[in-house]
Amino acid sequence: MRSKSMISILFISLLLASSAVCLAEDAANSTSANLVVPKENLPEGFKLIAALPEMDSHVNMTDYIKNFYGAKDIGKTNVSVGIYQWGKPGESYDAKITLLQLQDGMFAESAYSNYMSQPEFQKPPFRGVDRFSSAIINGHNATEIRKDVGGTGLRYLYLWKNGSIVVLVEGNDDNGKSRDLASATGL
């Protein structure tokens, strides 16, 4: 009888210990998953419209990162998206900051590579204009991507990795202001 009690106590102790470890892992993952898009001290001309999923937990965040999926597996991803107004409503497109927290640096590299491999990026946006350039954002090497907006101009995007985090900033037609918005991430 005594050995059954000891085994039961040992079993219950193991269950409690494993539960505590799982809770600690969940707490650690939720802390790293809470990437926050800039909300204050934004560059001149930018105003936060929405911070997702914070402002609306029912939004399907996969829709916001479909260009990060591709030939390479990116694993599980936690996503935060900030949508910013920078021009007159209805007359200009919105700027966005997308932050992806991946499981590790290898998955971050995969997400970065998948994004850069989009078919539209295989050609320049206009004749005589390079698609890509290099930039430094908050001390990190970033790729400046020039994207055609309706055949009338360029939109400046900035993409970089910081450990297991991938940052995409979709700015406006002013590369200086777009870089300022990218710097506002602090990443």
Side-chain angles (χ1 to χ4, degrees), residues 9-168:
I9 290 172
L10 182 60
F11 181 71
I12 291 171
S13 298
L14 286 173
L15 272 174
L16 290 173
S18 66
S19 296
V21 168
C22 289
L23 288 173
E25 286 176 1
D26 286 346
N29 287 339
S30 66
T31 301
S32 64
N34 290 334
L35 293 175
V36 179
V37 295
K39 297 176 186 166
E40 298 174 350
N41 301 320
L42 297 170
E44 185 179 339
F46 291 96
K47 176 184 172 191
L48 179 68
I49 298 173
L52 303 172
E54 181 182 330
M55 292 177 160
D56 186 354
S57 61
H58 296 96
V59 174
N60 181 359
M61 296 306 291
T62 305
D63 292 342
Y64 286 92
I65 62 167
K66 63 185 174 207
N67 291 328
F68 289 96
Y69 292 105
K72 297 180 180 181
D73 181 25
I74 66 170
K76 292 182 181 178
T77 307
N78 292 308
V79 182
S80 293
V81 175
I83 302 172
Y84 303 87
Q85 177 184 332
W86 67 271
K88 294 181 181 177
E91 292 182 18
S92 58
Y93 50 86
D94 296 328
K96 281 195 269 182
I97 295 176
T98 304
L99 306 175
L100 288 81
Q101 172 73 56
L102 297 122
Q103 294 168 312
D104 60 34
M106 288 177 35
F107 285 120
E109 179 62 40
S110 295
Y112 180 91
S113 177
N114 287 344
Y115 191 86
M116 294 293 291
S117 298
Q118 293 180 62
E120 78 173 279
F121 291 168
Q122 303 309 309
K123 297 185 246 176
F126 299 114
R127 177 175 271 171
V129 176
D130 291 333
R131 170 71 69 184
F132 304 109
S133 183
S134 296
I136 303 292
I137 306 291
N138 298 329
H140 298 283
N141 290 326
T143 301
E144 179 182 274
I145 304 168
R146 297 172 185 119
K147 192 170 183 179
D148 173 19
V149 256
T152 59
L154 292 175
R155 180 180 196 176
Y156 294 91
L157 286 67
Y158 293 92
L159 179 69
W160 72 95
K161 302 176 303 247
N162 183 355
S164 62
I165 298 171
V166 175
V167 181
L168 173 64

